[in-house]
Every structure is written in C-alpha cells, then in structure tokens.
Amino acid sequence: MKILLIQPNTSTLRGTLCPPIGIMYVGAVVREAGHEVKILDRNIDYFSLAKIKKFKPDIVGITAMTGPMLLDAVQVSKKVKEILGKDTPVVWGGVHATILPKETLENDYIDYVVIGEGEYTFLELVESLSNNRDLSIIDGLAFKESGEVRVNKPRAAIKNLDDLPYLPWNLVNAKKYFNIEIVLVTSRGCPFSCTFCISGRFGKEYRYRCFNPERVVEEIKRIEKLTDNKHLKFHDDFFTSNYKYCKAIFDNLSSEYSLLLYTRVTFINQRFLDLLNKFKTVWLSFGVESGSERMLEKYKKKITVKQIKDAFELCKRQKNIRTKASVILGAPTETREEIDMTLNLMKEINPTRHTYCVYSPYPGSEL
C-alpha cells in the first residue's frame, strides 16, 4: 500500500527545525514490511497539498501535539478528504490523540487513532485495512464503528528500542534539518512525574527506556555521512539519566561537537561536568520551574531551591558550559510573592539563556 505520513505545521518552532522523528520510525517500520512510504513535513514543505494529490496514498497518518499544531492537523485532515475522497483513511497519532482518543475521533475528518507508541499499531492497521481484517484485535487502536467510538486494549510498550529500524533519513529532506543542528532522541519516556507534564503518565512500562549506547553512536555515524554539522542536540525528556550511559556515548564522540542536553539540577556534579571537558561548548538545559519551595513540591519536581543554586554555581566554574533555565509562571494557586521568588532566583543563578513559560493545563497532566 502507499502510505503518506504528515508532520503538521506548528507556530511553536523557534529558530530550529526538529526532524519528525516519531513518524520517521513509523515510516521505517511500515517500509520494512514492504509498503511504499512518503513523509511530508509542512514546516518545510510548502507544496505538501499538491504532493498529496500527486502521490495518491491509500492511507494518511498524521501526528499532533496539544497546541497550535492541532489546527493545521485538522485542516490537513479535511484537505486529505477533499483531495483523495472521504473514504481515504485518515489516522491520527501522537500525544494529543493518545490522551484524548474519543474526543479526537469526534472530528469528521479523522477515522482512526493510534494510541501510545505507534510503529506496530499503525503497521497492523495498514495490513488489516488492506486485507479487510478485524480491527478490534489491534492493541492500541481506537476507531469508529456504526457511529460509535471503540477503544481497544492498550498496546504493550516496546521493551527493546534497538529492535526498531534505524532512522530513515532518505525519507525526509535531511539537509534542511541539519542546517542548524543535529537533533536525536535516544530514549522514550521520563522517570519522573511532574504534575504539569504528561510524560510519566502512560504506565510503568512506558516510563523510561533508552537505546543502547552503541546504537546511538552508530546512528550518529550514519548522520555524519550526511552532514559536516557538529552541533548535536539530544532531544530526550531527560538525557542524563545515567552517568555510565552518557560516558559510553561521549567517549565515542569527536571533541569537535558542541552539545545540548536536557538534564536536572540533581544530576549535576563535578564528575559529570568533567566528562564534558573534551567538547567545545556544552549547553545544559534545566527545568528550574520555580523559586518557591511550595510550588516545586506542588509540581513534584523532587528538587529544592538550594539544589538549583548549587548546580548553576558548579556550571559557572566550567569554561565550556552554557546554561538554559526555564520556569513556569501562572500555575494554579501560585501567588504574586511566589512569582517574585522565581524572578529573583533567575537573577541570582543568571543562566546564559532563559525561558519564561505561561502555565498551560495539558490534558492528561495531574494539574
């Protein structure tokens, strides 16, 4: 079958383009099974609607996160039906559809929802539709039947991520993404359960898994054949979960790389910072969230204001370390005094870059 996977346009992009890694893995699995696959990213492809008409796919898959991306995803779903006919299956996946499958399927332009990790659910759906098989036995699928929404039982998480094919960079315009930096994701899930976030809320088996370091290094070597760019961003929710894991990857990276890592203040110590000495520049990005101990507890961040200050003080002593800090303002019950505590803390720790986020009540989060 001919499969089209679409990354909708989003106004949340700032300065860099992230490759559509989620649907790239879906595409790799489906292509490996013998289907023809095309990926369109509407952030860089301004002629995507014309290409939809030209490709004439049998099934269209669209991913979406809660936020501005949803509007374009709905509009594209509508256009698919107009261009290809109302009987063309439109499948949604991604975080938003996973959290709200029934609400997603209330839309007239969406026929199926892939819940959770989508690679093998989507593959089973494609093959079931092509062979007219029973959809009720596909784990992780929601669909419409006789005007009603049916939600099948959840699909088990992929235990060994190394079983997935390598990222299919030949399905996308790799040079466009590598223009500013290389973006990689080496794990799935998060070991924490912050109340403003949904990352830790899909069950224990979805909490945190990572590719083997050898697999990550091989993925980087494959990318090095495509670009000379030496700016590498590990876009994991929490990359620095394990010192030995980081060391196994960093020891096999050229010192010419500059890195961006998402980490936590509780992970920062001199031993870890010494591991980064070989690199030109390393950006460490922290979710500081608040200068109020009460709000940090409300967020279940499992950090303290002192730990925040200590981590940034250590980072300032390293010549090659740059820091990013993000905080949340306007969360439920937060007082003006607590907002001032956050602003004063940011002045004190003085990160290289900072982000002030207005609290957003994401579906599925505890808050």
Side-chain angles (χ1 to χ4, degrees):
M1 296 188 79
K2 295 172 73 172
I3 313 299
L4 178 64
L5 301 173
I6 300 176
Q7 180 85 356
N9 183 271
T10 171
S11 61
T12 60
L13 292 170
R14 292 290 184 270
T16 184
L17 282 172
C18 291
I21 289 175
I23 59 174
M24 286 173 71
Y25 278 121
V26 172
V29 168
V30 175
R31 186 174 67 173
E32 200 172 66
H35 300 279
E36 184 180 355
V37 178
K38 190 176 186 66
I39 291 177
L40 289 178
D41 184 349
R42 284 173 52 78
N43 295 289
I44 63 174
D45 195 328
Y46 305 109
F47 303 99
S48 54
L49 296 180
K51 291 181 179 179
I52 291 171
K53 188 174 183 178
K54 183 178 180 181
F55 184 54
K56 295 181 181 177
D58 299 302
I59 300 174
V60 176
I62 300 173
T63 186
M65 296 184 295
T66 305
M69 183 185 284
L70 287 177
L71 178 60
D72 191 62
V74 171
Q75 291 175 339
V76 170
S77 300
K78 181 181 179 182
K79 282 293 182 182
V80 166
K81 294 289 189 180
E82 291 175 358
I83 293 169
L84 302 175
K86 61 186 177 80
D87 293 330
T88 301
V90 172
V91 187
W92 270 37
V95 175
H96 186 86
T98 290
I99 294 294
L100 300 171
K102 291 183 178 180
E103 291 85 344
T104 300
L105 285 170
E106 288 176 2
N107 191 291
D108 293 336
Y109 315 118
I110 304 167
D111 304 300
Y112 305 94
V113 162
V114 169
I115 300 170
E117 291 178 327
E119 288 86 358
Y120 298 105
T121 299
F122 186 76
L123 175 60
E124 284 189 35
L125 174 61
V126 167
E127 299 193 335
S128 294
L129 290 175
S130 63
N131 295 288
N132 199 27
R133 295 176 188 161
D134 182 10
L135 300 180
S136 66
I137 63 173
I138 302 176
D139 293 349
L141 181 71
F143 60 101
K144 299 172 185 175
E145 186 177 71
S146 302
E148 299 292 326
V149 173
R150 293 192 56 174
V151 180
N152 296 345
K153 70 175 183 178
R155 177 172 294 273
I158 300 172
K159 291 184 179 179
N160 185 6
L161 296 181
D162 295 319
D163 290 339
L164 290 168
Y166 283 95
L167 284 168
W169 291 106
N170 59 345
L171 286 180
V172 298
N173 189 339
K175 289 184 179 180
K176 287 252 185 178
Y177 299 112
F178 298 152
N179 185 41
I180 298 176
E181 63 188 3
I182 300 166
V183 179
L184 271 184
V185 177
T186 70
S187 63
R188 292 185 178 182
C190 179
F192 300 95
S193 296
C194 300
T195 58
F196 53 78
C197 184
I198 53 87
S199 287
R201 309 200 178 276
F202 298 114
K204 289 184 178 180
E205 63 175 6
Y206 274 93
R207 289 298 289 272
Y208 182 79
R209 294 146 295 143
C210 54
F211 291 95
N212 283 328
E214 295 79 12
R215 162 71 182 250
V216 176
V217 172
E218 179 60 28
E219 195 75 75
I220 294 170
K221 288 180 179 178
R222 290 163 64 90
I223 291 172
E224 286 176 340
K225 295 177 181 179
L226 303 173
T227 180
D228 294 327
N229 198 322
K230 288 293 186 285
H231 298 283
L232 178 56
K233 176 181 181 179
F234 291 102
H235 203 23
D236 305 54
D237 286 341
F238 178 39
F239 175 75
T240 60
S241 60
N242 182 286
Y243 175 84
K244 290 183 178 179
Y245 183 78
C246 294
K247 188 176 190 306
I249 295 173
F250 294 160
D251 284 352
N252 287 281
L253 280 184
S254 165
S255 60
E256 295 180 2
Y257 276 102
S258 62
L259 307 179
L260 191 156
L261 317 174
Y262 291 97
T263 186
R264 287 171 60 88
V265 295
T266 51
F267 192 80
I268 300 303
N269 55 44
Q270 195 59 51
R271 181 190 183 211
F272 173 67
L273 295 178
D274 288 344
L275 186 61
L276 304 175
N277 281 337
K278 65 181 278 189
F279 300 107
K280 290 180 177 180
T281 306
V282 179
W283 285 88
L284 296 178
S285 184
F286 299 91
V288 169
E289 317 310 358
S290 179
S292 160
E293 298 286 2
R294 186 187 75 86
M295 291 305 296
L296 290 174
E297 290 180 8
K298 184 178 179 65
Y299 294 148
K300 295 184 180 178
K301 276 294 291 187
K302 297 183 178 179
I303 62 175
T304 65
V305 172
K306 183 180 186 305
Q307 288 172 328
I308 294 169
K309 293 178 180 179
D310 290 346
F312 276 82
E313 183 58 37
L314 271 178
C315 290
K316 286 176 184 176
R317 298 174 189 171
Q318 306 293 126
K319 291 183 178 180
N320 68 325
I321 299 294
R322 307 290 183 270
T323 55
K324 291 186 175 183
S326 63
V327 296
I328 300 171
L329 302 177
T333 77
E334 185 178 42
T335 66
R336 175 69 218 200
E337 289 73 23
E338 286 172 323
I339 290 176
D340 288 339
M341 289 179 187
T342 300
L343 300 179
N344 289 333
L345 176 63
M346 290 290 271
K347 289 177 183 177
E348 183 174 345
I349 63 176
N350 192 25
T352 314
R353 292 182 184 171
H354 56 266
T355 303
Y356 294 95
C357 304
V358 176
Y359 168 73
S360 297
Y362 287 110
S365 66
E366 184 175 331
L367 279 183

